[in-house]
C-alpha cells in the first residue's frame, strides 16, 4: 500500500490488488478454540466398550426383585396371557398390574451410614408419627414411656424392611389382629403385627430397641426371614410386608430425633435418630 498527495488530497494505491492470493494449506482453526472453548472431546471407546457401558447402565437402572414377589409375578403373567387371549383390554389391564407387582417387590441396594448411636429407618415411606408412648406389652420391654417413630408405607413404596441398628435379635413375637388403616395411631395396638427386640450397645451401655411391623388396610401378610439370637448389622434386611403397612421403632427417651413429621424416609439410609441425645432438629414445610 502506497500513499500520494496529488491535488492536495491523499490517494491510496493498492499494490498487488489483482494478484492471486496465497492459499494457506493449514486447516482453519476451530471456532470453539477461537472463542476460548476447548475443542469437543472425541470418544476413544471402541464400539464394544460403548456397548459394555450401555449394558452396565441398564444393569444399574434395573432394580432387583425380591424372591417373595416371584409367585405374584407368575400369577400376573398367566392372567395377562389368559386375559389377552379373550380381550386385548383385559390383557393390558393385567400387564399393568403385573408391572406394578414387579415394582412393589423391588429390592434395591442401599448405602447405610455407620456410626455409634445412629438409628436408620427400617422402612421406605413417610414419617407419620413421632410420640412418647408405652411399648407393646408383647415385646417384654420395661413398661415405661419410650420414643416411638413410625414410618408409613403406601402401596408404591419399597416394602423390604431393614434393621435400624446393629445388634442381636433378642426375641420375635407375632400378634394376630385387625387390618385397620396403618396410618392410624391405634393400629399399633389393634392391627396384626410382628415385633422384634434388638439388643444393641451404645457408649458401652446395653440397650433394647423395639421394631414392630404392622399390617395395614391392604396388607395381609407379614414376612420375616430372621430368627431369635440372629446377629444383624444395621441396614440388613429382616422382612417385608405385602401391600401397604407401617413400621414402628421404639427408642429410649432422650434419644435425639433427626426427622420431622411428613418427611420421606429411605430404608437403610435415612437416619431417624441419634441415641447420643442432643437438641432435636426443627423443620418447616416449603
Amino acid at each position: 500500500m502506497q500513499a500520494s498527495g496529488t491535488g492536495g488530497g491523499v490517494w491510496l494505491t493498492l499494490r498487488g490488488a489483482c494478484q492471486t492470493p496465497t492459499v494457506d494449506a493449514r486447516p482453519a482453526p476451530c471456532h470453539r478454540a477461537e472463542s476460548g472453548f476447548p475443542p469437543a472431546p472425541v470418544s476413544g471407546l471402541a464400539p464394544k466398550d460403548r456397548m459394555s457401558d450401555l449394558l452396565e447402565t441398564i444393569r444399574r437402572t434395573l432394580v432387583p426383585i425380591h424372591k417373595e414377589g416371584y409367585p405374584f409375578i407368575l400369577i400376573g403373567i398367566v392372567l395377562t396371557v389368559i386375559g389377552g387371549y379373550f380381550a386385548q383390554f383385559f390383557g393390558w389391564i393385567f400387564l399393568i398390574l403385573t408391572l406394578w407387582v414387579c415394582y412393589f417387590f423391588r429390592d434395591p441396594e442401599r448405602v447405610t451410614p455407620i456410626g455409634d448411636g445412629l438409628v436408620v429407618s427400617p422402612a421406605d415411606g413417610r414419617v407419620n408419627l413421632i410420640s412418647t408412648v408405652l411399648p407393646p406389652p408383647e415385646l417384654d420391654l420395661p413398661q415405661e414411656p419410650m420414643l416411638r417413630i413410625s414410618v408409613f408405607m403406601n402401596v408404591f413404596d419399597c416394602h423390604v424392611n431393614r434393621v435400624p441398628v446393629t445388634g442381636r435379635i433378642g426375641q420375635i413375637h407375632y400378634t394376630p389382629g385387625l387390618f385397620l388403616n396403618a396410618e392410624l395411631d391405634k393400629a399399633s395396638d389393634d392391627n396384626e403385627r410382628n415385633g422384634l427386640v434388638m439388643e444393641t450397645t451404645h457408649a458401652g451401655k446395653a440397650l433394647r430397641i423395639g421394631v414392630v411391623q404392622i399390617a395395614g388396610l391392604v396388607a395381609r401378610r407379614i414376612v420375616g426371614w430372621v430368627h431369635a439370637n440372629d446377629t444383624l448389622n444395621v441396614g440388613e434386611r429382616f422382612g417385608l410386608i405385602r401391600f401397604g403397612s407401617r413400621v414402628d421403632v421404639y427408642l429410649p427417651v432422650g434419644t435425639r430425633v433427626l426427622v420431622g413429621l411428613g418427611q420421606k424416609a429411605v430404608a437403610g439410609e435415612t437416619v431417624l435418630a441419634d441415641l447420643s441425645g442432643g437438641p432435636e432438629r426443627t423443620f418447616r414445610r416449603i
Side-chain angles (χ1 to χ4, degrees), residues 77-107:
I77 293 174
V78 172
L79 291 176
T80 299
V81 173
I82 295 176
Y85 176 79
F86 289 102
Q88 189 177 29
F89 171 78
F90 292 112
W92 281 109
I93 292 296
F94 286 122
L95 176 60
I96 293 172
L97 290 176
T98 303
L99 293 175
W100 173 76
V101 171
C102 294
Y103 181 73
F104 178 87
F105 283 101
R106 65 194 185 278
D107 185 16

Side-chain angles (χ1 to χ4, degrees), residues 41-271:
V42 179
S43 175
L45 295 177
K48 182 178 180 181
D49 295 331
R50 289 197 292 268
M51 180 58 68
S52 298
D53 285 350
L54 177 60
L55 293 177
E56 179 64 17
T57 300
I58 295 174
R59 187 190 70 81
R60 291 178 178 274
T61 302
L62 296 177
V63 177
I65 298 173
H66 197 277
K67 63 181 181 180
E68 287 289 336
Y70 292 170
F72 297 93
I73 295 172
L74 180 60
I75 293 173
I77 293 174
V78 172
L79 291 176
T80 299
V81 173
I82 295 176
Y85 176 79
F86 289 102
Q88 189 177 29
F89 171 78
F90 292 112
W92 281 109
I93 292 296
F94 286 122
L95 176 60
I96 293 172
L97 290 176
T98 303
L99 293 175
W100 173 76
V101 171
C102 294
Y103 181 73
F104 178 87
F105 283 101
R106 65 194 185 278
D107 185 16
E109 293 183 351
R110 295 289 162 82
V111 180
T112 301
I114 305 297
D116 186 32
L118 297 184
V119 180
V120 302
S121 178
D124 283 31
R126 180 171 54 83
V127 179
N128 73 313
L129 290 171
I130 300 176
S131 56
T132 302
V133 297
L134 293 176
E138 67 267 16
L139 295 184
D140 197 26
L141 293 171
Q143 287 301 296
E144 56 188 32
M146 298 187 72
L147 172 67
R148 181 185 66 187
I149 302 178
S150 303
V151 179
F152 173 76
M153 298 173 282
N154 63 37
V155 293
F156 297 104
D157 290 316
C158 175
H159 275 56
V160 176
N161 301 144
R162 297 170 181 260
V163 291
V165 295
T166 295
R168 185 180 72 91
I169 300 178
Q171 68 177 57
I172 301 175
H173 192 282
Y174 170 78
T175 303
L178 304 177
F179 298 97
L180 304 175
N181 184 352
E183 284 194 278
L184 300 176
D185 190 12
K186 63 180 180 179
S188 297
D189 300 320
D190 297 338
N191 280 23
E192 175 185 331
R193 57 193 181 272
N194 188 54
L196 289 76
V197 175
M198 295 292 299
E199 298 177 352
T200 187
T201 58
H202 170 62
K205 181 181 178 181
L207 295 176
R208 301 176 72 206
I209 292 173
V211 183
V212 182
Q213 299 169 289
I214 302 174
L217 187 64
V218 182
R220 287 297 184 271
R221 179 72 190 277
I222 299 174
V223 181
W225 47 79
V226 295
H227 306 87
N229 296 318
D230 286 351
T231 298
L232 302 176
N233 291 318
V234 59
E236 287 194 64
R237 303 163 179 85
F238 73 91
L240 63 81
I241 315 176
R242 294 175 184 165
F243 310 118
S245 48
R246 191 176 104 198
V247 179
D248 291 347
V249 181
Y250 291 87
L251 304 167
V253 171
T255 299
R256 180 188 182 193
V257 179
L258 299 177
V259 290
L261 287 174
Q263 180 176 338
K264 179 70 175 180
V266 178
E269 291 192 353
T270 302
V271 179

